[in-house]
Amino acid sequence: RNFQGKVMATSGAGKPVYYSGLKTIDMYGLNDIFIGHKKVDTFSWPGHNKSDMDYVISRKPDIIATFIRPNLDIFNGYKHTGYDSAGYTIRFLLNTSKWHMPQDIIDVQSLEPDSLSRLIEQEYDFAVLERASEP
């Protein structure tokens, strides 16, 4: 509801796309000609071998929805310094465990990195990053 009419980049092109109804950039390139035609050295996980986060960031999606690590790196090891410098901040963390928490979606925009890392370690390991509005 918060992002109607926006563009989302995601590594989970199933449920997030279906339920959000947002125009979507698939970070694995299944529906993106640039990423889809990239060459790979190994082919170990069909549909999950190709990616190019610099390219995804260059397309300036309004939000990025993907898994996050306690060190705040995201999809395929993309460093937090990369998305920080592109103007993205972590807005929400989602609980991905099979157990419900008191809140399965937490607005974390005012939390410090240490607090974010602790939540991620508690299985709030799917993040929604929001791009700052351009001046």
Side-chain angles (χ1 to χ4, degrees):
R1 290 181 292 237
N2 295 347
F3 300 105
Q4 293 304 310
K6 304 291 184 178
V7 175
M8 170 177 62
T10 187
S11 59
K15 290 180 219 170
V17 176
Y18 179 80
Y19 286 105
S20 72
L22 298 177
K23 180 178 178 184
T24 304
I25 300 166
D26 178 358
M27 297 187 321
Y28 283 123
L30 297 176
N31 63 5
D32 184 283
I33 197 163
F34 180 82
I35 296 172
H37 282 91
K38 287 189 71 136
K39 302 293 182 208
V40 294
D41 295 331
T42 61
F43 194 68
S44 58
W45 194 15
H48 298 85
N49 283 82
K50 298 176 183 182
S51 64
D52 188 327
M53 274 307 294
D54 291 326
Y55 163 75
V56 170
I57 295 281
S58 78
R59 295 196 50 198
K60 298 183 179 180
D62 299 294
I63 61 174
I64 299 172
T66 192
F67 285 95
I68 189 166
R69 296 185 177 118
N71 66 3
L72 306 185
D73 292 350
I74 58 168
F75 178 74
N76 283 357
Y78 193 76
K79 303 287 183 204
H80 65 85
T81 52
Y83 65 77
D84 283 345
S85 65
Y88 289 89
T89 57
I90 303 168
R91 176 66 190 274
F92 297 101
L93 287 178
L94 288 69
N95 166 31
T96 62
S97 74
K98 61 182 177 180
W99 312 109
H100 287 291
M101 302 281 201
Q103 290 182 285
D104 286 320
I105 301 173
I106 301 174
D107 187 335
V108 296
Q109 63 184 335
S110 62
L111 294 183
E112 296 296 320
D114 288 344
S115 297
L116 291 171
S117 294
R118 282 193 296 279
L119 285 168
I120 295 164
E121 288 169 351
Q122 296 170 13
E123 298 195 63
Y124 284 94
D125 61 352
F126 196 86
V128 175
L129 284 64
E130 184 175 34
R131 185 169 57 91
S133 300
E134 302 214 19

